[in-house]
Amino acid sequence: MIWKENRENAYCEITPAILSLKEQWEKKNYIDPRLYKEYNVKRGLRNEDGRGVLTGLTRVAEIQSYNVTADEHILPADGILYYRGIDCRELVTGSAARGRFAFEEAAYLLLFGELPTSEQLRDFCVQLASYRTLPTNFFRDVIMKAPPRDLMNTMQRAILTLFCYDDKPNDIGLENVLRQCLQLMSNMPVLAIYAYQAWRYSQGESLFIHVPLPELSTAENFLRMLREDRGYTDLEARVLDVALVLHADHGGGNNSTFTNHVVTSSGTDTYSAIAAAMASLKGPRHGGANNKVMAMMDDIKTHVKDWSDEGCVADYLTKMLNKDAFDRSGLIYGLGHAVYTRSDPRCEVFREYVHHLAAEKGRERELALYTSVETIGKQLLMERQHKAALSTNIDFYSGFVYEMLGLPMELYTPLFAVARISGWSAHRMEELSAGGKLIRPRYECVEEHRSYTPMEKR
């Protein structure tokens, strides 16, 4: 077999031999779910009440989502997300009051533990702008090579390739790692947009590449590089900036950040650690939730004839919960959260900007449908799950916002990475300075011991 340039490769076929081997694998690899309780294994590193298993300490970020009584009962509470001890919502409101963008300020806070002075923030932005460049011919030689529709893979490949352009790639001294993290943080939006443009070009679309401007914020540059006319409104940039702030970190235990901690603890290089975090974020259970919300809402728009009729909306949501509609998963995507109980603070602060943007774009009717699905869906879920409270995940609205901003769905998860690398960088620095041990949890083996059987007796 040989590889073909059109990717119609025999290597990619699921052959009868592969199917046979898969059946062979299934015979000896089933683990009875009851064994997890028998061995007291915390699946997903969570206790039965939903609380995460404590695996480390951090100063970077904290989530508060419930109260615990003296007799260990969980009481739902309004969620709070702290960056270095500061409510992330205050970063948004504090910057908005002064007419400036907040993401760079949030990134500085996550990395260095203090809010920057105006001079420190200016110098930090200048530093980031000076790093916002790729090696000569990098776009042609790396990004444009066989671009897949899933841009996260293109970005991972680019990040790993940047290792080859670094004179000190394996140096894990804090000053060198900080330099690498700042450079990757600067270039993540460039990699995301260029990966998208390369994929578009591979599909027969026109190719246009805009270089970022040093005087613009991350949000402004993202929109400028994406659009052929380089244009954007102030509200569009503000809304995108808020989205970046709210996605910059989510505590040390989220899947991609924990992956970053685990890989960093091995002593590997920055490029490998960030690429590993990207691989985790790519997963639909982590970074792709807003895509599911968008697909669900498109389905609701198609099947609910009168969006203003709450009865019609409730009937269709009930069908979804009964696994008779949409993807038959029994889920209403975007409602409920693995951590937050009563409210997701990111969604609460984002909601105001959603309304402003919907008004500017003339999308109030669709926003009303989102509000109806949120209200009715939460009520139906609370009744079925016997819960007194249920949070609306930020993913419920973020996809709608990105669509109103004209962002293609292929960029939703890469945009998440553009924001989250600031948190990953802070956690990598913390793990290198304070971790000191290889993270290696234990898995209980439930396979019976047996003797080796000679070939002729098998």
Side-chain angles (χ1 to χ4, degrees):
M1 292 183 287
I2 58 173
W3 288 97
K4 300 176 182 177
E5 286 301 319
N6 63 6
R7 304 191 199 180
E8 296 175 358
N9 298 305
Y11 277 109
C12 304
E13 294 178 8
I14 303 300
T15 63
I18 290 294
L19 291 174
S20 177
L21 288 170
K22 183 244 187 182
E23 291 174 4
Q24 184 67 23
W25 180 89
E26 288 176 332
K27 291 177 184 177
K28 292 294 294 180
N29 284 278
Y30 175 74
I31 295 178
D32 191 327
R34 292 174 295 184
L35 291 175
Y36 287 93
K37 191 164 188 178
E38 179 182 331
Y39 285 94
N40 193 29
V41 174
K42 314 296 185 184
R43 298 198 74 179
L45 291 181
R46 294 206 162 273
N47 295 307
E48 288 188 5
D49 60 13
R51 283 183 288 176
V53 175
L54 190 61
T55 59
L57 302 175
T58 183
R59 289 183 179 274
V60 178
E62 175 191 4
I63 296 171
Q64 289 186 358
S65 58
Y66 53 78
N67 295 315
V68 184
T69 64
D71 54 354
E72 290 293 303
H73 280 94
I74 300 293
L75 296 179
D78 289 328
I80 307 175
L81 172 60
Y82 293 99
Y83 291 169
R84 296 286 190 167
I86 298 174
D87 190 329
C88 72
R89 293 171 293 190
E90 294 182 18
L91 287 168
V92 174
T93 56
S95 62
R98 292 168 175 79
R100 68 169 183 267
F101 294 97
F103 175 63
E104 287 75 14
E105 184 176 10
Y108 186 100
L109 174 64
L110 288 169
L111 273 170
F112 304 111
E114 294 288 348
L115 290 169
T117 65
S118 58
E119 182 178 354
Q120 288 172 329
L121 182 59
R122 183 189 66 242
D123 291 345
F124 183 62
C125 291
V126 169
Q127 185 82 32
L128 293 178
S130 71
Y131 285 146
R132 198 167 284 135
T133 182
L134 295 173
T136 303
N137 295 327
F138 193 86
F139 176 75
R140 183 197 66 190
D141 297 341
V142 179
I143 297 176
M144 287 198 71
K145 184 64 176 176
R149 180 168 187 169
D150 198 316
L151 311 182
M152 293 292 282
N153 291 77
T154 302
M155 295 170 70
Q156 284 175 268
R157 180 176 63 194
I159 290 167
L160 290 171
T161 305
L162 285 170
F163 175 99
C164 307
Y165 292 84
D166 193 327
D167 291 339
K168 297 184 289 183
N170 285 311
D171 181 350
I172 59 172
L174 291 181
E175 65 281 355
N176 191 58
V177 171
L178 177 59
R179 184 263 305 172
Q180 292 170 330
C181 286
L182 291 176
Q183 289 173 340
L184 288 175
M185 191 186 307
S186 300
N187 279 311
M188 194 66 85
V190 180
L191 294 177
I193 296 297
Y194 286 7
Y196 174 66
Q197 302 295 14
W199 178 75
R200 283 182 66 256
Y201 182 68
S202 73
Q203 302 303 300
E205 300 289 336
S206 299
L207 178 65
F208 57 89
I209 295 296
H210 302 318
V211 297
L213 296 180
E215 66 271 20
L216 299 183
S217 68
T218 300
E220 290 173 303
N221 267 318
F222 194 90
L223 293 173
R224 181 183 183 278
M225 289 188 292
L226 174 65
R227 296 174 175 175
E228 188 169 5
D229 66 358
R230 305 180 182 90
Y232 55 87
T233 68
D234 181 71
L235 178 60
E236 288 177 326
R238 297 279 171 195
V239 171
L240 185 57
D241 178 71
V242 170
L244 293 173
V245 172
L246 298 177
H247 286 94
D249 201 72
H250 207 218
N254 71 81
N255 196 272
S256 58
T257 300
F258 184 62
T259 298
N260 179 35
H261 272 284
V262 171
V263 176
T264 293
S265 77
S266 74
T268 194
D269 65 279
T270 299
Y271 303 96
S272 295
I274 299 302
M278 290 281 289
S280 166
L281 187 67
K282 177 192 172 185
R285 293 181 182 175
H286 186 12
N290 51 23
N291 293 33
K292 270 295 196 180
V293 174
M294 293 298 291
M296 176 188 75
M297 292 303 298
D298 285 342
D299 182 78
I300 292 173
K301 291 173 187 176
T302 300
H303 292 92
V304 176
K305 293 183 179 179
D306 186 354
W307 297 359
S308 62
D309 188 325
E310 293 185 356
C312 290
V313 174
D315 288 344
Y316 195 72
L317 292 178
T318 300
K319 288 182 180 180
M320 289 171 54
L321 290 173
N322 292 336
K323 301 184 179 181
D324 293 327
F326 186 42
D327 63 357
R328 290 173 170 74
S329 66
L331 301 174
I332 301 177
Y333 294 98
L335 301 185
H337 193 277
V339 177
Y340 296 115
T341 54
R342 187 181 296 279
S343 64
D344 180 342
R346 304 168 303 169
C347 183
E348 298 310 305
V349 73
F350 206 35
R351 197 186 306 274
E352 178 184 350
Y353 290 89
V354 175
H355 281 77
H356 287 321
L357 190 61
E360 181 181 273
K361 301 292 184 180
R363 304 283 290 275
E364 292 95 337
R365 182 168 175 262
E366 287 173 82
L367 178 59
L369 177 61
Y370 271 83
T371 302
S372 181
V373 170
E374 177 186 10
T375 303
I376 297 170
K378 286 171 70 171
Q379 186 62 42
L380 292 173
L381 284 167
M382 286 190 290
E383 290 173 0
R384 292 194 176 214
Q385 298 174 5
H386 307 291
K387 289 184 176 181
L390 192 76
S391 66
T392 303
N393 195 318
I394 189 173
D395 292 319
F396 185 78
Y397 283 109
S398 62
F400 181 44
V401 167
Y402 298 159
E403 184 191 38
M404 287 192 289
L405 289 174
L407 306 185
M409 194 172 292
E410 291 83 4
L411 275 171
Y412 289 5
T413 308
L415 181 61
F416 199 155
V418 169
R420 188 56 59 87
I421 190 174
S422 56
W424 292 337
S425 298
H427 283 281
R428 173 164 169 78
M429 296 282 292
E430 186 176 67
E431 181 64 38
L432 287 172
S433 65
K437 282 187 176 291
L438 177 69
I439 298 175
R440 190 195 185 284
R442 184 171 68 93
Y443 271 65
E444 188 74 33
C445 183
V446 294
E447 184 67 72
E448 294 182 359
H449 294 177
R450 49 188 170 151
S451 300
Y452 175 81
T453 304
M455 179 72 75
E456 61 274 11
K457 294 184 179 181
R458 294 175 197 169

